[in-house]
Amino acid sequence: MTLINQIQNQHLDYLEAESIYIIREVVAQCSRPALLFSGGKDSIVMFHLARKAFWFGQRKINLPFPLLHVDTGHNYPEVIQFRDEIVEKTGAQLIVAHVEDSIKKGTVKLKHALDSRNAAQAVTLLEAIEEHEFDALMGGARRDEEKARAKERIFSFRDEFGQWDPKAQRPELWSLYNARTSKGENMRVFPISNWTELDVWQYIAREKLSLPSIYFSHQREIVRRGKLLVPVTPLTPKQADDISEVIPVRFRTVGDISCTCPVESSAVDPEDIIDETVVAEVTERGATRMDDQTSEASMERRKKEGYF
């Protein structure tokens, strides 16, 4: 092993240990936590870390919390299929909260049938928290993704309305975390907050984690709109004056079809993606998310309304 590989492994070992410590702190301090799990790469890394956190010697202990997925109904089918395969293989408990159910109840209202449901997830998430009485939700958000995420602490307090106030965060000195909440309040916890996109892919490569196929290069019909490659789907159809083309692409992040775009790529394995990530000049959300293009404050506004 080269010196560079040794340093890289030591760095990943440190990040892994920190994340496992945070997950165990959540279980120790909270009575009803859950792990947000969509089948995307960050949630797969989180699930792997959670399983490591409760694997002592040769004895694997079932996760002491369920998985929660807020399903917009507009997800890429490859990701949902992969999510279900992991749950079936591992026996983890999965709770699915559907945005479609919120629409039927009237708590979510969309102007048009094909509108993005990404922001609407906040309502469904808050309804799931209330229904299942979760006092903490762990998720795979990272500080390098977006400016608003960089402002947030690892243990992010939300009030009884699910709202986040960036000016009223609790101090986190010497890795001491305060998860105390009153009834109706909630903690959002980010165990891989200090990881970068490069760290995630290096960890995926080291741990040999499986991912949905759309994370790797494949042929897809797209339309170029500004710097984004918008996939041609029933939810994002071609406009009258659009010119589409079929090119090799991969997804850096996955989410609602109506707002998530791929990037042009020939990377077929994690090592190829690591090479591309090293030289990437735009964050994964900046390069692929249509809903983050509206303004620099769009993510922070949604987080204050309850978005994860």
Short mmCIF file of all heavy atoms in Angstrom, two decimals, residues 231-287:
data_model
loop_
_atom_site.label_atom_id
_atom_site.label_comp_id
_atom_site.label_asym_id
_atom_site.label_seq_id
_atom_site.Cartn_x
_atom_site.Cartn_y
_atom_site.Cartn_z
N PRO A 231 -33.38 15.15 -18.45
CA PRO A 231 -33.77 13.88 -19.06
C PRO A 231 -35.16 13.96 -19.67
O PRO A 231 -36.04 14.65 -19.13
CB PRO A 231 -33.73 12.91 -17.88
CG PRO A 231 -33.95 13.76 -16.68
CD PRO A 231 -33.31 15.09 -16.99
N VAL A 232 -35.36 13.28 -20.76
CA VAL A 232 -36.67 13.25 -21.41
C VAL A 232 -37.46 12.09 -20.80
O VAL A 232 -37.12 10.92 -20.98
CB VAL A 232 -36.54 13.07 -22.93
CG1 VAL A 232 -37.93 12.98 -23.57
CG2 VAL A 232 -35.77 14.24 -23.54
N THR A 233 -38.49 12.43 -20.05
CA THR A 233 -39.34 11.44 -19.38
C THR A 233 -40.78 11.91 -19.48
O THR A 233 -41.05 13.05 -19.86
CB THR A 233 -38.95 11.30 -17.90
OG1 THR A 233 -39.42 12.45 -17.18
CG2 THR A 233 -37.45 11.14 -17.71
N PRO A 234 -41.75 11.07 -19.12
CA PRO A 234 -43.15 11.53 -19.10
C PRO A 234 -43.36 12.72 -18.16
O PRO A 234 -44.27 13.52 -18.37
CB PRO A 234 -43.91 10.29 -18.61
CG PRO A 234 -43.07 9.13 -19.05
CD PRO A 234 -41.66 9.61 -18.89
N LEU A 235 -42.54 12.83 -17.12
CA LEU A 235 -42.66 13.95 -16.19
C LEU A 235 -41.90 15.19 -16.66
O LEU A 235 -42.18 16.30 -16.22
CB LEU A 235 -42.13 13.54 -14.81
CG LEU A 235 -42.94 12.46 -14.09
CD1 LEU A 235 -42.22 12.01 -12.83
CD2 LEU A 235 -44.34 12.99 -13.74
N THR A 236 -40.90 14.99 -17.53
CA THR A 236 -40.12 16.10 -18.08
C THR A 236 -40.06 15.93 -19.60
O THR A 236 -39.00 15.65 -20.16
CB THR A 236 -38.70 16.11 -17.48
OG1 THR A 236 -38.10 14.81 -17.64
CG2 THR A 236 -38.71 16.48 -16.02
N PRO A 237 -41.19 16.09 -20.27
CA PRO A 237 -41.24 15.86 -21.72
C PRO A 237 -40.56 16.97 -22.51
O PRO A 237 -40.32 18.06 -22.00
CB PRO A 237 -42.74 15.83 -22.00
CG PRO A 237 -43.33 16.72 -20.95
CD PRO A 237 -42.50 16.50 -19.72
N LYS A 238 -40.25 16.65 -23.74
CA LYS A 238 -39.67 17.66 -24.64
C LYS A 238 -40.71 18.75 -24.93
O LYS A 238 -41.89 18.48 -25.08
CB LYS A 238 -39.24 17.02 -25.96
CG LYS A 238 -38.00 16.19 -25.87
CD LYS A 238 -37.39 15.93 -27.27
CE LYS A 238 -38.36 15.18 -28.15
NZ LYS A 238 -37.73 14.87 -29.46
N GLN A 239 -40.21 19.98 -25.01
CA GLN A 239 -41.05 21.09 -25.44
C GLN A 239 -41.04 21.15 -26.97
O GLN A 239 -40.23 20.49 -27.64
CB GLN A 239 -40.55 22.40 -24.84
CG GLN A 239 -40.46 22.39 -23.32
CD GLN A 239 -41.78 22.12 -22.64
OE1 GLN A 239 -42.81 22.68 -23.03
NE2 GLN A 239 -41.77 21.25 -21.63
N ALA A 240 -41.92 21.96 -27.51
CA ALA A 240 -42.09 21.99 -28.97
C ALA A 240 -40.80 22.31 -29.71
O ALA A 240 -40.53 21.76 -30.78
CB ALA A 240 -43.18 23.00 -29.34
N ASP A 241 -39.98 23.21 -29.15
CA ASP A 241 -38.76 23.62 -29.84
C ASP A 241 -37.51 22.93 -29.31
O ASP A 241 -36.39 23.31 -29.65
CB ASP A 241 -38.59 25.14 -29.74
CG ASP A 241 -38.58 25.62 -28.29
OD1 ASP A 241 -38.95 24.82 -27.40
OD2 ASP A 241 -38.20 26.78 -28.06
N ASP A 242 -37.67 21.91 -28.48
CA ASP A 242 -36.52 21.20 -27.93
C ASP A 242 -35.90 20.27 -28.96
O ASP A 242 -36.60 19.65 -29.77
CB ASP A 242 -36.93 20.37 -26.71
CG ASP A 242 -37.05 21.20 -25.45
OD1 ASP A 242 -36.48 22.31 -25.42
OD2 ASP A 242 -37.70 20.75 -24.49
N ILE A 243 -34.59 20.16 -28.89
CA ILE A 243 -33.85 19.19 -29.70
C ILE A 243 -33.18 18.23 -28.72
O ILE A 243 -32.33 18.64 -27.92
CB ILE A 243 -32.80 19.87 -30.59
CG1 ILE A 243 -33.47 20.84 -31.56
CG2 ILE A 243 -31.98 18.83 -31.35
CD1 ILE A 243 -32.50 21.64 -32.41
N SER A 244 -33.57 16.98 -28.77
CA SER A 244 -33.01 16.01 -27.83
C SER A 244 -31.87 15.24 -28.46
O SER A 244 -31.71 15.22 -29.69
CB SER A 244 -34.09 15.04 -27.35
OG SER A 244 -34.50 14.20 -28.42
N GLU A 245 -31.07 14.61 -27.61
CA GLU A 245 -29.98 13.75 -28.07
C GLU A 245 -29.77 12.65 -27.04
O GLU A 245 -30.12 12.80 -25.87
CB GLU A 245 -28.70 14.57 -28.25
CG GLU A 245 -28.29 15.39 -27.04
CD GLU A 245 -27.11 16.30 -27.32
OE1 GLU A 245 -26.08 15.80 -27.81
OE2 GLU A 245 -27.23 17.51 -27.04
N VAL A 246 -29.22 11.55 -27.48
CA VAL A 246 -28.91 10.44 -26.60
C VAL A 246 -27.40 10.41 -26.36
O VAL A 246 -26.63 10.29 -27.31
CB VAL A 246 -29.38 9.10 -27.20
CG1 VAL A 246 -28.99 7.94 -26.28
CG2 VAL A 246 -30.90 9.12 -27.42
N ILE A 247 -27.01 10.56 -25.10
CA ILE A 247 -25.59 10.65 -24.77
C ILE A 247 -25.30 9.79 -23.53
O ILE A 247 -26.22 9.44 -22.79
CB ILE A 247 -25.15 12.11 -24.51
CG1 ILE A 247 -25.90 12.68 -23.30
CG2 ILE A 247 -25.37 12.97 -25.74
CD1 ILE A 247 -25.39 14.04 -22.85
N PRO A 248 -24.02 9.47 -23.27
CA PRO A 248 -23.69 8.74 -22.04
C PRO A 248 -23.72 9.68 -20.84
O PRO A 248 -23.08 10.73 -20.84
CB PRO A 248 -22.27 8.23 -22.32
CG PRO A 248 -21.70 9.19 -23.31
CD PRO A 248 -22.85 9.65 -24.15
N VAL A 249 -24.49 9.32 -19.81
CA VAL A 249 -24.63 10.16 -18.62
C VAL A 249 -24.60 9.28 -17.38
O VAL A 249 -24.72 8.06 -17.45
CB VAL A 249 -25.96 10.95 -18.65
CG1 VAL A 249 -26.03 11.88 -19.84
CG2 VAL A 249 -27.16 10.00 -18.61
N ARG A 250 -24.46 9.94 -16.23
CA ARG A 250 -24.65 9.30 -14.93
C ARG A 250 -25.25 10.34 -13.99
O ARG A 250 -25.17 11.55 -14.25
CB ARG A 250 -23.33 8.77 -14.36
CG ARG A 250 -22.32 9.85 -13.96
CD ARG A 250 -21.10 9.25 -13.31
NE ARG A 250 -20.09 10.25 -13.00
CZ ARG A 250 -20.02 10.96 -11.88
NH1 ARG A 250 -20.93 10.77 -10.93
NH2 ARG A 250 -19.08 11.86 -11.69
N PHE A 251 -25.82 9.88 -12.90
CA PHE A 251 -26.39 10.79 -11.91
C PHE A 251 -25.42 10.94 -10.74
O PHE A 251 -24.93 9.94 -10.21
CB PHE A 251 -27.74 10.26 -11.42
CG PHE A 251 -28.85 10.43 -12.41
CD1 PHE A 251 -29.02 9.52 -13.44
CD2 PHE A 251 -29.70 11.52 -12.33
CE1 PHE A 251 -30.03 9.69 -14.38
CE2 PHE A 251 -30.72 11.70 -13.27
CZ PHE A 251 -30.89 10.78 -14.29
N ARG A 252 -25.16 12.18 -10.36
CA ARG A 252 -24.34 12.44 -9.18
C ARG A 252 -25.18 12.39 -7.92
O ARG A 252 -24.68 12.11 -6.83
CB ARG A 252 -23.65 13.80 -9.30
CG ARG A 252 -22.55 13.83 -10.36
CD ARG A 252 -21.98 15.23 -10.54
NE ARG A 252 -21.23 15.70 -9.38
CZ ARG A 252 -20.65 16.90 -9.31
NH1 ARG A 252 -20.76 17.76 -10.32
NH2 ARG A 252 -19.98 17.26 -8.21
N THR A 253 -26.45 12.72 -8.04
CA THR A 253 -27.40 12.65 -6.93
C THR A 253 -28.73 12.24 -7.53
O THR A 253 -28.98 12.47 -8.71
CB THR A 253 -27.51 14.00 -6.21
OG1 THR A 253 -28.41 13.88 -5.10
CG2 THR A 253 -28.00 15.09 -7.14
N VAL A 254 -29.58 11.61 -6.74
CA VAL A 254 -30.88 11.19 -7.26
C VAL A 254 -31.98 11.76 -6.38
O VAL A 254 -31.82 11.96 -5.18
CB VAL A 254 -31.01 9.66 -7.32
CG1 VAL A 254 -30.03 9.08 -8.33
CG2 VAL A 254 -30.81 9.01 -5.96
N GLY A 255 -33.10 12.07 -7.00
CA GLY A 255 -34.23 12.63 -6.29
C GLY A 255 -35.43 12.62 -7.21
O GLY A 255 -35.54 11.78 -8.11
N ASP A 256 -36.32 13.56 -7.02
CA ASP A 256 -37.51 13.68 -7.85
C ASP A 256 -37.11 13.83 -9.32
O ASP A 256 -36.26 14.65 -9.67
CB ASP A 256 -38.29 14.92 -7.38
CG ASP A 256 -39.69 14.96 -7.93
OD1 ASP A 256 -40.55 14.28 -7.37
OD2 ASP A 256 -39.91 15.68 -8.91
N ILE A 257 -37.73 13.04 -10.19
CA ILE A 257 -37.40 13.07 -11.63
C ILE A 257 -37.54 14.47 -12.19
O ILE A 257 -36.75 14.91 -13.03
CB ILE A 257 -38.30 12.09 -12.41
CG1 ILE A 257 -37.93 10.64 -12.07
CG2 ILE A 257 -38.19 12.33 -13.91
CD1 ILE A 257 -38.86 9.61 -12.70
N SER A 258 -38.54 15.20 -11.73
CA SER A 258 -38.84 16.51 -12.29
C SER A 258 -37.81 17.58 -11.97
O SER A 258 -37.86 18.68 -12.51
CB SER A 258 -40.21 16.98 -11.82
OG SER A 258 -40.23 17.08 -10.42
N CYS A 259 -36.84 17.28 -11.07
CA CYS A 259 -35.86 18.31 -10.73
C CYS A 259 -34.43 17.79 -10.68
O CYS A 259 -33.52 18.54 -10.33
CB CYS A 259 -36.22 18.98 -9.40
SG CYS A 259 -36.11 17.88 -7.97
N THR A 260 -34.20 16.53 -11.03
CA THR A 260 -32.86 15.95 -10.93
C THR A 260 -32.32 15.59 -12.30
O THR A 260 -32.95 14.82 -13.03
CB THR A 260 -32.86 14.69 -10.04
OG1 THR A 260 -33.50 15.00 -8.80
CG2 THR A 260 -31.44 14.22 -9.77
N CYS A 261 -31.16 16.13 -12.62
CA CYS A 261 -30.55 15.92 -13.93
C CYS A 261 -29.25 15.13 -13.82
O CYS A 261 -28.57 15.20 -12.80
CB CYS A 261 -30.24 17.27 -14.59
SG CYS A 261 -31.69 18.31 -14.85
N PRO A 262 -28.90 14.41 -14.88
CA PRO A 262 -27.62 13.72 -14.89
C PRO A 262 -26.50 14.64 -15.39
O PRO A 262 -26.75 15.79 -15.76
CB PRO A 262 -27.86 12.58 -15.88
CG PRO A 262 -28.82 13.17 -16.87
CD PRO A 262 -29.70 14.11 -16.07
N VAL A 263 -25.29 14.12 -15.39
CA VAL A 263 -24.15 14.81 -15.99
C VAL A 263 -23.55 13.90 -17.05
O VAL A 263 -23.67 12.68 -16.97
CB VAL A 263 -23.06 15.16 -14.94
CG1 VAL A 263 -23.60 16.16 -13.93
CG2 VAL A 263 -22.55 13.91 -14.23
N GLU A 264 -22.94 14.51 -18.03
CA GLU A 264 -22.31 13.71 -19.09
C GLU A 264 -21.11 12.97 -18.50
O GLU A 264 -20.28 13.57 -17.82
CB GLU A 264 -21.87 14.61 -20.25
CG GLU A 264 -21.55 13.88 -21.52
CD GLU A 264 -21.53 14.78 -22.74
OE1 GLU A 264 -21.78 16.00 -22.59
OE2 GLU A 264 -21.25 14.27 -23.85
N SER A 265 -21.02 11.67 -18.76
CA SER A 265 -19.97 10.89 -18.12
C SER A 265 -19.82 9.53 -18.79
O SER A 265 -20.80 8.95 -19.28
CB SER A 265 -20.30 10.68 -16.64
OG SER A 265 -19.39 9.78 -16.03
N SER A 266 -18.60 9.04 -18.77
CA SER A 266 -18.31 7.69 -19.26
C SER A 266 -17.86 6.79 -18.10
O SER A 266 -17.36 5.69 -18.33
CB SER A 266 -17.23 7.73 -20.34
OG SER A 266 -16.04 8.31 -19.83
N ALA A 267 -18.03 7.24 -16.86
CA ALA A 267 -17.56 6.51 -15.69
C ALA A 267 -18.43 5.28 -15.44
O ALA A 267 -19.64 5.40 -15.28
CB ALA A 267 -17.56 7.42 -14.46
N VAL A 268 -17.80 4.12 -15.37
CA VAL A 268 -18.56 2.87 -15.23
C VAL A 268 -18.35 2.20 -13.87
O VAL A 268 -18.97 1.18 -13.59
CB VAL A 268 -18.19 1.88 -16.35
CG1 VAL A 268 -18.58 2.45 -17.71
CG2 VAL A 268 -16.70 1.54 -16.31
N ASP A 269 -17.49 2.75 -13.03
CA ASP A 269 -17.26 2.17 -11.71
C ASP A 269 -16.83 3.27 -10.74
O ASP A 269 -16.56 4.40 -11.16
CB ASP A 269 -16.22 1.04 -11.77
CG ASP A 269 -14.89 1.46 -12.36
OD1 ASP A 269 -14.47 2.63 -12.12
OD2 ASP A 269 -14.25 0.66 -13.05
N PRO A 270 -16.80 2.98 -9.43
CA PRO A 270 -16.44 4.02 -8.46
C PRO A 270 -15.08 4.66 -8.71
O PRO A 270 -14.91 5.87 -8.47
CB PRO A 270 -16.47 3.27 -7.12
CG PRO A 270 -17.47 2.19 -7.33
CD PRO A 270 -17.27 1.75 -8.75
N GLU A 271 -14.12 3.87 -9.16
CA GLU A 271 -12.79 4.43 -9.42
C GLU A 271 -12.84 5.49 -10.51
O GLU A 271 -12.19 6.55 -10.41
CB GLU A 271 -11.81 3.31 -9.80
CG GLU A 271 -11.39 2.41 -8.65
CD GLU A 271 -12.47 1.45 -8.19
OE1 GLU A 271 -13.43 1.21 -8.98
OE2 GLU A 271 -12.38 0.94 -7.06
N ASP A 272 -13.61 5.23 -11.58
CA ASP A 272 -13.78 6.22 -12.64
C ASP A 272 -14.45 7.48 -12.09
O ASP A 272 -14.07 8.61 -12.43
CB ASP A 272 -14.63 5.66 -13.78
CG ASP A 272 -13.92 4.60 -14.59
OD1 ASP A 272 -12.68 4.50 -14.49
OD2 ASP A 272 -14.60 3.88 -15.34
N ILE A 273 -15.45 7.31 -11.24
CA ILE A 273 -16.17 8.45 -10.69
C ILE A 273 -15.27 9.26 -9.77
O ILE A 273 -15.33 10.50 -9.75
CB ILE A 273 -17.44 7.98 -9.96
CG1 ILE A 273 -18.42 7.38 -10.97
CG2 ILE A 273 -18.09 9.14 -9.20
CD1 ILE A 273 -19.66 6.79 -10.36
N ILE A 274 -14.42 8.59 -9.02
CA ILE A 274 -13.45 9.30 -8.17
C ILE A 274 -12.57 10.20 -9.01
O ILE A 274 -12.33 11.36 -8.67
CB ILE A 274 -12.60 8.29 -7.37
CG1 ILE A 274 -13.45 7.63 -6.29
CG2 ILE A 274 -11.39 8.97 -6.73
CD1 ILE A 274 -12.80 6.44 -5.62
N ASP A 275 -12.11 9.68 -10.14
CA ASP A 275 -11.27 10.49 -11.04
C ASP A 275 -12.02 11.72 -11.53
O ASP A 275 -11.45 12.81 -11.62
CB ASP A 275 -10.81 9.65 -12.23
CG ASP A 275 -9.82 8.56 -11.84
OD1 ASP A 275 -9.20 8.69 -10.77
OD2 ASP A 275 -9.67 7.59 -12.60
N GLU A 276 -13.32 11.58 -11.85
CA GLU A 276 -14.10 12.72 -12.31
C GLU A 276 -14.38 13.70 -11.17
O GLU A 276 -14.37 14.92 -11.38
CB GLU A 276 -15.43 12.23 -12.90
CG GLU A 276 -15.29 11.50 -14.22
CD GLU A 276 -16.63 11.17 -14.85
OE1 GLU A 276 -17.68 11.44 -14.23
OE2 GLU A 276 -16.64 10.64 -15.99
N THR A 277 -14.62 13.18 -9.99
CA THR A 277 -14.96 14.03 -8.85
C THR A 277 -13.79 14.91 -8.42
O THR A 277 -13.98 16.06 -8.01
CB THR A 277 -15.43 13.16 -7.67
OG1 THR A 277 -16.51 12.32 -8.09
CG2 THR A 277 -15.88 14.02 -6.49
N VAL A 278 -12.59 14.37 -8.54
CA VAL A 278 -11.39 15.12 -8.15
C VAL A 278 -11.30 16.43 -8.91
O VAL A 278 -10.87 17.46 -8.37
CB VAL A 278 -10.13 14.26 -8.35
CG1 VAL A 278 -8.87 15.12 -8.25
CG2 VAL A 278 -10.07 13.14 -7.33
N VAL A 279 -11.70 16.43 -10.18
CA VAL A 279 -11.54 17.63 -11.02
C VAL A 279 -12.85 18.39 -11.21
O VAL A 279 -12.89 19.39 -11.93
CB VAL A 279 -10.95 17.25 -12.39
CG1 VAL A 279 -9.56 16.65 -12.24
CG2 VAL A 279 -11.86 16.27 -13.14
N ALA A 280 -13.94 17.95 -10.55
CA ALA A 280 -15.23 18.64 -10.70
C ALA A 280 -15.16 20.04 -10.10
O ALA A 280 -14.62 20.23 -9.01
CB ALA A 280 -16.34 17.82 -10.04
N GLU A 281 -15.71 21.01 -10.80
CA GLU A 281 -15.68 22.41 -10.35
C GLU A 281 -17.02 22.88 -9.81
O GLU A 281 -17.12 23.98 -9.27
CB GLU A 281 -15.24 23.31 -11.50
CG GLU A 281 -13.81 23.03 -11.98
CD GLU A 281 -13.39 23.94 -13.11
OE1 GLU A 281 -14.27 24.66 -13.65
OE2 GLU A 281 -12.19 23.94 -13.47
N VAL A 282 -18.07 22.05 -9.96
CA VAL A 282 -19.41 22.42 -9.51
C VAL A 282 -19.90 21.34 -8.56
O VAL A 282 -19.67 20.15 -8.78
CB VAL A 282 -20.39 22.55 -10.71
CG1 VAL A 282 -21.78 22.97 -10.22
CG2 VAL A 282 -19.86 23.54 -11.73
N THR A 283 -20.56 21.75 -7.45
CA THR A 283 -21.09 20.77 -6.51
C THR A 283 -22.13 19.90 -7.19
O THR A 283 -22.71 20.27 -8.21
CB THR A 283 -21.74 21.46 -5.29
OG1 THR A 283 -22.90 22.18 -5.74
CG2 THR A 283 -20.76 22.39 -4.62
N GLU A 284 -22.41 18.74 -6.60
CA GLU A 284 -23.34 17.82 -7.23
C GLU A 284 -24.74 18.42 -7.35
O GLU A 284 -25.42 18.23 -8.35
CB GLU A 284 -23.39 16.49 -6.48
CG GLU A 284 -23.79 16.59 -5.03
CD GLU A 284 -23.49 15.31 -4.26
OE1 GLU A 284 -24.29 14.37 -4.33
OE2 GLU A 284 -22.44 15.27 -3.60
N ARG A 285 -25.19 19.18 -6.34
CA ARG A 285 -26.51 19.80 -6.44
C ARG A 285 -26.49 20.94 -7.45
O ARG A 285 -27.42 21.12 -8.22
CB ARG A 285 -26.97 20.30 -5.07
CG ARG A 285 -27.28 19.20 -4.06
CD ARG A 285 -27.95 19.77 -2.83
NE ARG A 285 -29.30 20.21 -3.12
CZ ARG A 285 -30.40 19.45 -2.95
NH1 ARG A 285 -30.28 18.22 -2.49
NH2 ARG A 285 -31.60 19.93 -3.22
N GLY A 286 -25.41 21.70 -7.45
CA GLY A 286 -25.30 22.81 -8.38
C GLY A 286 -25.30 22.35 -9.83
O GLY A 286 -25.77 23.06 -10.72
N ALA A 287 -24.79 21.15 -10.07
CA ALA A 287 -24.68 20.64 -11.43
C ALA A 287 -25.92 19.88 -11.87
O ALA A 287 -26.10 19.65 -13.07
CB ALA A 287 -23.46 19.72 -11.54
#
